[in-house]
Amino acid sequence: MITMNQKYQALILYAHEGRSMRQIARDTGIHRETVSKYVREYEKKRSRLMEGGQHVHVEALIESLTEKPTYKTGNRAKRKLTPEIKQRVQEFLQENREKRHKGQAKQQKTIIDMYEALEDEKMDISYSSVRRFVRQLERRPKEAFIKETYLPGDVCEFDWGEVKLTIGRQMHTFQMAVFTPAYGNYRWACLFPKQTTECFQEAHARFFDHIDGVYTTITYDNMKVAVKRLAGDKEPTEGLMQLMLYYGFGYRFCNIRRGNEKGHVERSVDVVRRKAFAFQDTFNSLEEANQYLEDVCLNKLNEKPFSQYEGQTPRQRLDQEREHLLPAPPKWDGARVDYVRVDKYATVIIDQNRYSVPDHLVGEMVMVKVYAERIRCFYEETCVADHERLSGHHRWNLELSHILETLRKKPGALAGSLALHQADQKIKEIYKSYYTGKERDFIGLCHYLRDEGNLDDVLASIDRLEAIHPQHVTTDKIKVMCDKHKENPGHTKPSSQATKTINEQARNHMKDYDQLFQIAQPTEVAH
């Protein structure tokens, strides 16, 4: 590439020293035809400048005489942007279109996400090349933000973000609470079933417990859980005032439709959601999703150095803020208390969802503590039920152990009951394998599990009885085996071949005894 200095040197050799094109090309290293082109342009523009006249734009001619060398690059073939990379980028864009169609528009991959994914796949391409190619296919407006200066430990911003995830093969909508301190851009987030007061309070309690301190001021937009009244002077809700009194922080509300006034967390909601759930959005439970989200925040987002912080990471900036934070009291118990009457299905209704309680409480009033992720029911100061809180509406969360007394009277209802359908998979396998048509006997086993037994011990006993004969798997024999295990908790499985042989002989002896006494009590030889 010819530099501006080389072009000047060539023209000076021509204008001041009168050298030929061939000599100039040899001295400067520029091709002779290129030197001729520069000289022709120079002579033409200089002649027009010297001739003058009203129709001549002097400033433009002066600028053109001193302009840098230019090159036509529009028709050059793309060496790095291979068909394979183009195909991969188009697949990313198609994924984004599918997410927009499913209502997951805020969990799309951005251009930097696409570039990082290509890097992970060992594709040789620059970020600028990816950006240019994407912008050829899609054009998106960008938002501008105003940079401000903050003191350590002073301001932290809070906001909600909606996330759609597949939990247990069904898509659910969750609310993601996000905190971002303005000083260091540290990001912390947690998922909740709904955007309610108890979830709002629980989010603050977890964040302050996580950082072991409290910021002086928390900034909010005009969310319903924080702002009681928008007209005139804005007032905080009772839930926010309880947090303020307990933790000792102040608040500030943004103006209406002015999200840029808390630009750190506005950006953080988008970044956290994409960096976490643009790559994985299917989990077995909400707890698993929250653990994944915490790992992304701690090990990825908060460990990335920022040039504006002189190469420091958000975690390091948070460490600098700790001495300026207010001391954090013990974690807040952010539960809502409701008093509910138990209906005929032995359930209580909370936020249009049903949760089971023991069936002897039908018609009674129970106290329900509604947490962000749990529902706990109390009767006469005793916790009688503890459930995971459901998202959505008109759903049921039932425990089989809560309706055993009713099933004892109506055993025929067991097979089609929703409680059995929602029971532990191992419980359902036991019923299907050994108790189909023996509902009363199975209900007795469930009573034993609820009152005395341990599921692992029951499964181990079933395995021993199954090894002898499937017909030996009965509730009475399972109880005998479990009680025997409690008396000898230190026995282990055989490991050597000799021990296995002795154990097999013992099993054969037990079969003989079983034929005589109609009860199987096989023993394991300790070693």
Side-chain angles (χ1 to χ4, degrees):
M1 179 181 290
I2 300 173
T3 65
M4 187 67 183
N5 185 54
Q6 287 176 304
K7 179 180 177 181
Y8 282 167
Q9 185 180 4
L11 293 175
I12 289 172
L13 290 175
Y14 167 78
H16 292 271
E17 299 185 14
R19 296 193 185 185
S20 67
M21 307 299 174
R22 193 178 301 278
Q23 289 176 323
I24 295 173
R26 184 173 57 251
D27 294 341
T28 61
I30 304 174
H31 194 277
R32 181 172 56 82
E33 293 182 0
T34 303
V35 174
S36 299
K37 184 186 72 170
Y38 289 159
V39 169
R40 286 195 303 270
E41 291 176 352
Y42 173 78
E43 288 290 357
K44 181 179 178 181
K45 292 176 181 178
R46 183 172 177 82
S47 297
R48 291 181 59 194
L49 183 64
M50 298 303 293
E51 290 174 0
Q54 295 183 353
H55 63 282
V56 177
H57 196 298
V58 177
E59 290 82 0
L61 281 173
I62 294 174
E63 182 179 352
S64 65
L65 277 172
T66 58
E67 65 184 359
K68 295 180 180 180
T70 58
Y71 299 88
K72 295 181 179 180
T73 60
N75 297 326
R76 289 185 179 181
K78 308 297 186 197
R79 294 182 299 170
K80 295 289 187 178
L81 192 60
T82 63
E84 182 184 5
I85 294 177
K86 288 183 179 180
Q87 177 65 27
R88 196 73 183 97
V89 172
Q90 289 172 346
E91 290 174 1
F92 291 146
L93 295 176
Q94 179 60 32
E95 289 177 8
N96 286 349
R97 286 191 285 271
E98 292 174 358
K99 287 188 176 181
R100 289 197 296 269
H101 181 71
K102 294 190 296 183
Q104 295 177 291
K106 295 183 178 180
Q107 294 169 228
Q108 302 177 88
K109 288 184 178 70
T110 62
I111 298 176
I112 186 64
D113 297 327
M114 297 177 191
Y115 168 68
E116 291 176 353
L118 293 173
E119 271 195 325
D120 294 339
E121 296 174 12
K122 308 301 182 184
M123 294 188 180
D124 184 16
I125 188 71
S126 67
Y127 169 71
S128 59
S129 298
V130 176
R131 181 183 60 196
R132 283 193 297 270
F133 181 61
V134 171
R135 286 180 177 177
Q136 289 176 4
L137 303 176
E138 293 187 349
R139 294 184 178 274
R140 298 180 182 178
K142 293 186 177 181
E143 185 178 359
F145 296 92
I146 297 176
K147 181 64 176 176
E148 298 184 22
T149 303
Y150 299 92
L151 297 175
D154 185 22
V155 177
C156 182
E157 300 170 357
F158 172 84
D159 201 5
W160 294 103
E162 187 177 282
V163 177
K164 294 186 177 181
L165 303 175
T166 300
I167 304 292
R169 298 182 180 181
Q170 185 175 358
M171 182 173 288
H172 299 271
T173 299
F174 296 99
Q175 300 298 323
M176 183 174 67
V178 182
F179 289 86
T180 303
Y183 176 76
N185 215 38
Y186 185 87
R187 286 157 175 159
W188 183 90
C190 190
L191 297 171
F192 293 94
K194 299 181 179 181
Q195 196 178 127
T196 58
T197 297
E198 56 270 17
C199 296
F200 175 73
Q201 293 179 329
E202 179 67 17
H204 285 70
R206 293 186 186 182
F207 175 65
F208 294 145
D209 185 63
H210 172 72
I211 65 173
D212 193 25
V214 180
Y215 281 85
T216 304
T217 304
I218 309 294
T219 302
Y220 307 94
D221 60 15
N222 299 282
M223 59 188 69
K224 291 182 179 180
V225 290
V227 182
K228 182 178 181 181
R229 185 180 63 185
L230 290 174
D233 294 333
K234 299 177 184 178
E235 295 182 7
T237 59
E238 182 179 350
L240 177 55
M241 287 192 291
Q242 289 173 345
L243 287 173
M244 290 163 51
L245 290 174
Y246 185 76
Y247 285 105
F249 64 86
Y251 70 91
R252 183 177 71 83
F253 294 132
C254 296
N255 292 315
I256 297 176
R257 300 184 184 90
R258 291 295 181 269
N260 59 294
E261 295 181 5
K262 55 177 181 60
H264 294 85
V265 75
E266 288 283 338
R267 177 63 175 163
S268 291
V269 170
D270 179 57
V271 170
V272 172
R273 180 166 44 206
R274 287 189 296 101
K275 294 300 184 184
F277 302 118
F279 296 89
Q280 181 177 349
D281 58 9
T282 302
F283 303 92
N284 294 321
S285 64
L286 179 58
E287 289 79 7
E288 180 183 334
N290 266 323
Q291 183 60 54
Y292 168 77
L293 178 59
E294 182 178 4
D295 291 342
V296 170
C297 289
L298 295 182
N299 301 323
K300 187 174 183 180
L301 298 180
N302 292 325
E303 293 297 333
K304 182 178 180 180
F306 279 74
S307 58
Q308 62 266 39
Y309 300 146
E310 299 179 351
Q312 292 181 321
T313 64
R315 182 187 59 77
Q316 292 172 330
R317 299 280 285 187
L318 176 63
D319 292 339
Q320 296 175 9
E321 289 189 275
R322 292 190 188 280
E323 61 180 302
H324 302 279
L325 298 176
L326 302 174
K331 186 179 178 182
W332 167 269
D333 183 7
R336 183 183 91 225
V337 178
D338 292 339
Y339 290 89
V340 186
R341 190 176 299 278
V342 181
D343 63 15
K344 63 180 180 180
Y345 296 106
T347 63
V348 294
I349 302 177
I350 302 296
D351 297 332
Q352 302 184 52
N353 291 318
R354 293 176 181 264
Y355 303 87
S356 66
V357 296
D359 48 10
H360 69 272
L361 295 176
V362 170
E364 299 290 341
M365 292 292 293
V366 297
M367 182 185 76
V368 182
K369 297 190 75 174
V370 183
Y371 292 88
E373 297 178 354
R374 307 295 304 177
I375 298 289
R376 293 191 173 94
C377 304
F378 294 82
Y379 181 73
E380 295 181 350
E381 301 182 357
T382 301
C383 183
V384 294
D386 187 347
H387 295 278
E388 179 182 355
R389 187 173 180 179
L390 298 172
S391 60
H393 299 93
H394 308 295
R395 300 178 62 199
W396 297 60
N397 192 338
L398 306 179
E399 286 190 16
L400 186 61
S401 61
H402 288 162
I403 59 171
L404 292 180
E405 297 302 325
T406 303
L407 288 175
R408 189 191 295 273
K409 301 174 185 177
K410 307 174 183 180
L414 172 65
S417 66
L418 181 60
L420 178 61
H421 178 74
Q422 293 184 350
D424 188 298
Q425 184 61 35
K426 296 177 181 178
I427 295 291
K428 291 191 287 186
E429 288 295 332
I430 292 174
Y431 172 75
K432 182 179 178 181
S433 301
Y434 307 105
Y435 286 94
T436 302
K438 304 176 184 178
E439 281 73 18
R440 290 188 183 276
D441 202 17
F442 179 73
I443 293 169
L445 177 63
C446 293
H447 270 284
Y448 177 73
L449 278 170
R450 183 191 66 183
D451 300 334
E452 303 178 38
N454 177 280
L455 182 58
D456 291 335
D457 292 343
V458 168
L459 292 172
S461 300
I462 290 175
D463 289 341
R464 296 190 185 99
L465 293 169
E466 171 75 21
I468 299 172
H469 197 283
Q471 293 182 352
H472 287 281
V473 181
T474 65
T475 299
D476 290 336
K477 293 179 180 180
I478 290 173
K479 290 180 181 179
V480 171
M481 297 291 290
C482 290
D483 292 341
K484 190 171 185 63
H485 175 74
K486 291 177 182 178
E487 295 174 1
N488 302 282
H491 78 280
T492 58
K493 294 183 179 180
S495 57
S496 67
Q497 185 60 43
T499 304
K500 291 180 181 179
T501 302
I502 296 172
N503 183 64
E504 183 62 30
Q505 293 175 352
R507 287 182 182 274
N508 293 333
H509 291 162
M510 290 302 103
K511 290 181 182 179
D512 296 337
Y513 291 144
D514 186 52
Q515 292 176 358
L516 291 173
F517 301 107
Q518 295 300 310
I519 183 169
Q521 300 184 40
T523 59
E524 300 284 339
V525 178
H527 67 283

